[in-house]
Amino acid sequence: MNNILKLKPVLTVMILSLLLWSCSSDDNDDIQGPDTSTDLEIIVNTTNEGSSERTLNTTTTNLNSTLKVNVTFKSTEAMRRLYITKSEDGEANEPFKFTNQEVDEKNDGSIDLISDNKTDFTFNIDFDTPSNANGTVTYILWATTGRGDFRDISKRNSIGDFAFGTITINAGNGATGNGVKSFTQTILAAPLADGSSESFISLFNNTIYKINQGEEYAAFWDFGYYYGVSNNASFASAADYPDDIINIPTLTGLTDAELNNFYFAESTLNFDGITTRADLDVIVKSNNERITNLDVGDVIEFVDSYGNKGVIKVTEIVAGAGTSGKITFDVKVQTSTLTTVKL
């Protein structure tokens, strides 16, 4: 009995050690490379800017499938996140979502790099192939020293402002879109003091965000809605949102400089007649990051922090602040481009 009692603390230590080891194991084990079954690769390092090593163009006849590519990054600075965007048939760049492989993802969709692969890593990644017989899928990859921005390659880039890799997978003749993304969205509530209302939108991924979701999502926020005492239904950029309604820096811990600018102007453009990216090129960036006294039927043109242009058409307003207030609108925006300079 004494021997059994003496063993219990030892077993407890062993179990705790096993639990700690399992909790700290690398969730990116599934993509550790290189994979010798493929000769497709890209390499991004500090010395190969402009090199063909950073670019891969390939074709496939396998639709709705995957293609394995060895991805190597080398840096003199610690790399903490890997960002990957996906654009199908020339449409919007969006965060690439892993489906076949397990990875350790941060809340913003980037891959969390552990200490073992901070300055040098090779991953074998299954990239989606086109879904139609003449389609094209393009991926852009870069590494950062901290929280980056899916629309800004230069933000905390661990190698250099223009350090990224490109993978293009073609099927048949390839295809490109018209360069315009269209959608309808409702901001469900004017802002609540605790930041719990879904009052901000990202045009990058057509997603509504709560302010209190924190800094991890801040790079996505373009503009928010509020219902002012005298200004009624209003939009304001994340960077210029009224502090007396919601103080975003206080709630998120971010500075105004880390929030997106977004510029509005009343428009005379025919919303329904806009069908291509070129139709929106005529828009000129204003100096106004707020627009107030909105009415149903108003058409508003805008330029975002990354140079993308578009128009908004207000289709419904439920007056009031708090949970009862909401606004519904249609959007046509140039498909998101990646930039190295924030406007």
Side-chain angles (χ1 to χ4, degrees):
M1 178 65 72
N2 289 337
N3 287 338
I4 293 174
L5 290 172
K6 288 178 182 178
L7 283 172
K8 283 184 177 179
V10 176
L11 288 171
T12 301
V13 171
M14 291 176 64
I15 292 170
L16 286 173
S17 298
L18 181 61
L19 287 172
L20 288 171
W21 178 85
S22 63
C23 288
S24 61
S25 61
D26 180 12
D27 289 336
N28 296 325
D29 283 346
D30 199 31
I31 62 172
Q32 294 292 335
D35 189 314
T36 57
S37 68
T38 179
D39 59 359
L40 300 176
E41 68 173 358
I42 62 166
I43 300 172
V44 183
N45 59 40
T46 57
T47 61
N48 69 348
E49 182 176 348
S51 167
S52 60
E53 291 181 324
R54 293 187 178 186
T55 304
L56 171 65
N57 285 282
T58 188
T59 58
T60 184
T61 57
N62 295 321
L63 304 180
N64 293 307
S65 183
T66 60
L67 200 62
K68 192 176 295 293
V69 179
N70 288 321
V71 173
T72 297
F73 275 74
K74 297 181 180 181
S75 175
T76 56
E77 291 191 67
M79 295 181 286
R80 300 188 180 278
R81 302 192 188 197
L82 176 65
Y83 283 80
I84 307 176
T85 66
K86 174 185 177 181
S87 171
E88 188 158 8
D89 297 336
E91 296 301 328
N93 288 291
E94 297 179 348
F96 173 56
K97 299 183 184 300
F98 283 80
T99 55
N100 292 346
Q101 297 168 302
E102 294 293 329
V103 298
D104 187 6
E105 287 184 299
K106 303 293 282 188
N107 287 336
D108 70 347
S110 59
I111 300 174
D112 190 11
L113 302 174
I114 65 161
S115 58
D116 289 345
N117 43 44
K118 284 286 175 56
T119 59
D120 187 343
F121 66 82
T122 298
F123 292 155
N124 63 82
I125 299 176
D126 293 337
F127 291 96
D128 300 328
T129 61
S131 57
N132 65 77
N134 285 300
T136 297
V137 186
T138 300
Y139 300 91
I140 299 176
L141 307 86
W142 68 99
T144 64
T145 58
R147 180 173 53 83
D149 184 337
F150 269 106
R151 288 180 285 187
D152 186 357
I153 292 171
S154 68
K155 186 172 183 178
R156 299 190 176 99
N157 194 305
S158 60
I159 298 175
D161 286 352
F162 298 95
F164 60 90
T166 304
I167 298 170
T168 303
I169 305 173
N170 297 293
N173 297 323
T176 57
N178 62 7
V180 172
K181 178 171 64 174
S182 302
F183 59 88
T184 298
Q185 188 55 270
T186 297
I187 293 183
L188 297 177
L192 300 177
D194 62 359
S196 63
S197 52
E198 297 178 323
S199 300
F200 274 77
I201 185 172
S202 167
L203 301 187
F204 174 59
N205 55 9
N206 183 20
T207 299
I208 301 297
Y209 291 97
K210 298 177 181 178
I211 301 171
N212 63 7
Q213 283 181 282
E215 64 177 348
E216 195 67 27
Y217 297 98
F220 291 130
W221 303 341
D222 285 313
F223 64 91
Y225 174 66
Y226 66 95
Y227 198 88
V229 175
S230 59
N231 291 326
N232 298 326
S234 304
F235 290 143
S237 72
D240 195 40
Y241 202 80
D243 289 342
D244 59 338
I245 295 179
I246 290 288
N247 191 304
I248 297 176
T250 298
L251 276 175
T252 63
L254 298 172
T255 65
D256 286 336
E258 294 179 279
L259 298 170
N260 280 326
N261 302 102
F262 199 88
Y263 304 93
F264 302 96
E266 295 180 5
S267 182
T268 58
L269 293 176
N270 178 6
F271 184 92
D272 295 331
I274 293 169
T275 58
T276 69
R277 184 183 184 90
D279 293 336
L280 296 167
D281 283 339
V282 296
I283 294 174
V284 177
K285 182 172 72 73
S286 75
N287 295 318
N288 304 315
E289 295 194 55
R290 299 182 194 178
I291 190 163
T292 62
N293 288 303
L294 298 171
D295 288 319
V296 172
D298 283 352
V299 176
I300 305 146
E301 57 190 51
F302 63 82
V303 180
D304 69 12
S305 275
Y306 310 89
N308 301 305
K309 302 176 180 182
V311 286
I312 297 167
K313 184 177 181 179
V314 179
T315 59
E316 181 185 5
I317 296 174
V318 176
T323 56
S324 62
K326 67 178 182 179
I327 187 168
T328 301
F329 49 91
D330 296 333
V331 177
K332 291 185 178 181
V333 58
Q334 293 176 333
T335 51
S336 182
T337 56
L338 287 166
T339 182
T340 56
V341 180
K342 199 171 181 181
L343 295 180

